[in-house]
Amino acid sequence: MNQTNKQEKVALVTGGARRIGAAIVNKLHASGYTVIIHCHHALEEARALALSLNEQRLNSAFVLQRELTGSDAAQTVMATVTDWTGRLDLLVNNASVFIRNQCTDESQIHWDILFNTNVKAPFLLSLAARALLTKYSGAIVNLTDIHAERPLSGYSIYCQTKAALEMQTKSLARELAPQIRVNAIAPGAIAWPEHTNSLTPEIKQHIIAQTPLQQHGNPEFIAQAVLALAQNPFITGQILKVDGGRSLVS
């Protein structure tokens, strides 16, 4: 595969094929980034997105399919990024799993998948990306959740993973400074949960009613925040809530 123009900034977005991830990819691409769209299961969507972006700007979007929790996944991903683009300016750790659990002994079956995907994978990717990001004074943006601070009933383990990711953000901001900035975005109600986590219309309306701005969010709002954090050279170690004020409500 041909390398892209090495003068263009490069962003890797994990879970970048759909929903919030795709909005981030589109926003960064529109701002001049070459984008590497990581996916696991959503390969068809990732390819369609890359095709659309490459029609706008040749060799500006690549698809990287990989399960991120394997022992060598982070190193393999970064080796591929190096081979394809030769640089990395921004790592967006967006890939995440959202699983309901009851607080019983059986809930431990979800422990590994949630912590490996939501905490360990971003950590190892960040460390694997360190050399490239240092070379280009790059940045890392993690996607956490307002429920890292305000637990969501029925999702205890998930909330713990997002709390851990917030601490990871602050810790790496110190460890990787001054060469690399590390920040996070904590979305509120942005993209409604899917499948077994789906909400009834009544619950959705209740959530909106509990949001001071009285509206449901949009993935575009998260994408705007990612770009802002990527562009500002004097912000690190911060958790930016993009939630319409919902975290203000007890």
Side-chain angles (χ1 to χ4, degrees), residues 24 48 71 73 89 101 116 122 181 195 217 234 238 241 247:
I24 295 169
S71 60
D89 300 84
N101 73 278
N116 285 343
R181 296 179 298 105
H195 311 307
F234 204 57
Q238 302 304 306
K241 296 182 176 67
S247 56

Side-chain angles (χ1 to χ4, degrees), residues 32-228:
Y33 280 82
T34 292
V35 290
I36 299 175
I37 307 165
H38 161 266
C39 67
H40 182 199
H41 299 295
L43 181 59
E44 183 176 342
E45 292 94 333
R47 286 174 171 168
L49 178 56
L51 178 62
S52 172
L53 297 178
N54 281 321
E55 287 175 348
Q56 299 173 37
R57 200 165 73 245
L58 188 63
N59 291 330
S60 62
F62 302 91
V63 174
L64 197 168
Q65 185 184 31
R66 182 77 188 190
E67 202 283 317
L68 294 177
T69 62
S71 60
D72 62 344
Q75 295 297 334
T76 301
V77 166
M78 287 306 150
T80 303
V81 170
T82 301
D83 181 51
W84 285 356
T85 65
R87 69 180 289 166
L88 184 66
D89 300 84
L90 176 63
L91 168 62
V92 182
N93 285 311
N94 169 69
S96 180
V97 290
F98 182 58
I99 302 174
R100 183 189 302 273
N101 73 278
Q102 301 301 320
C103 289
T104 63
D105 289 343
E106 287 73 24
S107 66
Q108 65 182 315
I109 65 174
H110 301 303
W111 187 270
D112 286 345
I113 183 61
L114 280 159
F115 268 89
N116 285 343
T117 304
N118 296 357
V119 184
K120 185 177 180 180
F123 183 72
L124 294 181
L125 277 173
S126 296
L127 296 186
R130 184 173 188 172
L132 277 179
L133 290 173
T134 295
K135 184 177 180 180
Y136 294 98
S137 298
I140 299 169
V141 178
N142 296 320
L143 271 291
T144 62
D145 194 306
I146 60 170
H147 294 297
E149 294 184 359
R150 300 177 64 242
L152 179 64
S153 179
Y155 293 86
S156 177
I157 300 175
Y158 168 82
C159 293
Q160 291 176 64
T161 67
K162 292 302 184 177
L165 187 57
E166 287 202 356
M167 179 51 69
Q168 180 183 131
T169 299
K170 296 173 183 178
S171 175
L172 288 185
R174 295 201 66 178
E175 297 288 346
L176 304 184
Q179 295 88 357
I180 301 169
R181 296 179 298 105
V182 187
N183 293 289
I185 295 168
I190 295 293
W192 295 123
E194 297 179 305
H195 311 307
T196 58
N197 298 301
S198 295
L199 305 175
T200 66
E202 293 75 19
I203 293 176
K204 291 178 181 179
Q205 188 55 48
H206 175 74
I207 291 172
I208 293 172
Q210 292 296 309
T211 301
L213 293 187
Q214 295 288 292
Q215 61 177 306
H216 184 247
N218 188 300
E220 173 70 11
F221 303 155
I222 305 301
Q224 291 173 356
V226 169
L227 182 60

